[in-house]
Amino acid sequence: MKNILIINGHPDKESFNFALSKSYKKGAEKSNAEIKEINIRELNFNPNLQFGYRKRTELEPDLLDAQAKLKWADHLVWVYPVWWSSFPAIMKGFLDRVLLPGFAFNKRENSLLSDKHFTGKTARIICTLDQPDWYYKWVYGNPSHNAIKKGTLHFIGVKKIRITTIGPIRLSKEKYRIKWLKKVEKLGQQNK
């Protein structure tokens, strides 16, 4: 049985991203997985890593709880919209503040290499676009996919990462959205 953490990076609880999170959770519940959630919009924290890594900024209670959930999880499910070829600012702030040296990785002395603390974990990225996924891939080069997959998750040790890109959402019909909600529920049931 897997421990699954669903992290929603959309700041609007009425968004399609929240419906996607709910569908994934519904599927995962059918598999008897243990499930926890983080809705970043509900956390009370300063998203600004004020001093970078030069000086420690104390973590707020919500971020300490988020770190405990991230450590607990076997499988991380990230749900977010792609805005300006990236993820929302609140999600970026969450990543900056939570995935710190000593928690997610350790820098090696006199080396560019680091020790990764999230090895053995898997991830699913579910993101929405206002353009077709093929356009995002071939014209823009999947910048948010590269940032979260390679620049973040690979860096901390998560190697097996699957990406589900849904778009265009802005002009989509209800039938299209329902189809995706069912697909995402199935992913949850398969723990993928």
Side-chain angles (χ1 to χ4, degrees), residues 12 93 104 119:
D12 181 1
T119 57

Side-chain angles (χ1 to χ4, degrees), residues 94-110:
F94 175 80
L95 293 168
D96 286 350
R97 291 292 315 283
V98 170
L99 300 180
L100 297 171
F103 172 70
F105 65 97
N106 278 340
K107 295 181 178 182
R108 293 183 186 170
E109 191 75 29
N110 298 317

Side-chain angles (χ1 to χ4, degrees), residues 21-96:
S21 290
K22 193 183 245 183
S23 287
Y24 190 95
K25 181 180 180 181
K26 183 178 174 185
E29 287 172 339
K30 291 178 184 176
S31 74
N32 293 319
E34 289 287 322
I35 305 156
K36 293 184 181 184
E37 295 177 89
I38 297 173
N39 292 312
I40 297 172
R41 73 173 302 280
E42 296 171 1
L43 304 181
N44 184 14
F45 74 103
N46 178 354
N48 186 21
L49 186 61
Q50 193 169 356
F51 306 106
Y53 296 141
R54 179 180 58 80
K55 181 177 165 186
R56 181 165 173 82
T57 303
E58 290 304 312
L59 293 175
E60 295 87 345
D62 283 352
L63 294 186
L64 291 170
D65 182 61
Q67 283 187 334
K69 288 177 178 176
L70 286 160
K71 192 173 229 174
W72 165 87
D74 302 314
H75 185 61
L76 307 170
V77 180
W78 296 87
V79 183
Y80 61 89
V82 173
W83 292 347
W84 295 106
S85 296
S86 188
F87 22 82
I90 192 78
M91 185 170 146
K92 175 66 167 88
F94 175 80
L95 293 168
D96 286 350

Side-chain angles (χ1 to χ4, degrees), residues 16 128-132 166-177:
F16 186 56
T128 56
L129 302 165
D130 280 341
Q131 58 194 297
I166 306 167
I169 289 298
R170 189 172 57 86
L171 303 175
S172 66
K173 304 283 188 246
E174 185 178 4
K175 184 178 177 182
Y176 179 80
R177 292 176 181 226

